[in-house]
Amino acid sequence: MIFAALMLLLAAVPGPQTSPLVEEGQSHEWVKLFADDEGTLWIDSSWKSSRNVDGVDLPLVLMRTELLLPDEAPFVADLAMAVDCADKRMGIAGAWAEAPDAMVDGAEWMDDIRMDFAQKPLDDQDVLIFNFVCGSD
């Protein structure tokens, strides 16, 4: 019974079983963070990593999103985001997408992380990501 419930939970997250951004065999624990008419966002609560950005080690968070765009087929993308809790900034450290028009060629890791992903004021989705990574303060 528990195995069946776990399989249903895993089946609810689209895309490959293991994100192309992480090592093979990673056992993802996807947590649904946000869903609306435009798609769904999950965060892997089990994956931990960090990157040095401008001399500061920042935590990375692995996100998977399924985008539902009007008149287009749904597509799945994974993003590894560097999160600066102190300055409330995020930047894309790595990306992978299942869509041919996504402008990503396989799993790509960025050499230079631009911390310009979150706009100020933060929207509801950004606040949820910061709360997940940094805590509710």
Side-chain angles (χ1 to χ4, degrees), residues 7-18:
M7 292 309 291
L8 282 174
L9 208 97
L10 292 174
V13 179
Q17 184 174 354
T18 301

Side-chain angles (χ1 to χ4, degrees), residues 11 32 36 43 50-51 57 73 83 92 106 114 117 119:
K32 185 189 292 187
D36 64 14
I43 289 183
S50 64
R51 283 280 297 272
D57 279 335
V83 180
I92 299 173
R114 294 181 16 212
F117 190 80
Q119 302 299 314

Side-chain angles (χ1 to χ4, degrees), residues 81-101:
M81 302 294 293
V83 180
D84 183 340
C85 295
D87 289 335
K88 303 281 189 276
R89 302 180 308 151
M90 286 189 283
I92 299 173
W96 167 85
E98 202 170 58
D101 296 336

Side-chain angles (χ1 to χ4, degrees), residues 51-58 84 89 112-115:
R51 283 280 297 272
N52 187 292
V53 179
D54 300 327
V56 178
D57 279 335
L58 298 178
D84 183 340
R89 302 180 308 151
D112 183 35
I113 301 172
R114 294 181 16 212
M115 299 298 290

Side-chain angles (χ1 to χ4, degrees), residues 62-119:
L62 181 63
M63 303 185 311
R64 175 164 290 170
T65 186
E66 179 182 39
L67 296 175
L68 308 171
L69 303 174
D71 302 323
E72 293 186 32
F75 77 90
V76 175
D78 289 355
L79 296 172
M81 302 294 293
V83 180
D84 183 340
C85 295
D87 289 335
K88 303 281 189 276
R89 302 180 308 151
M90 286 189 283
I92 299 173
W96 167 85
E98 202 170 58
D101 296 336
M103 298 185 305
V104 176
D105 185 24
E108 294 183 10
W109 285 94
M110 313 310 168
D111 292 327
D112 183 35
I113 301 172
R114 294 181 16 212
M115 299 298 290
D116 62 355
F117 190 80
Q119 302 299 314

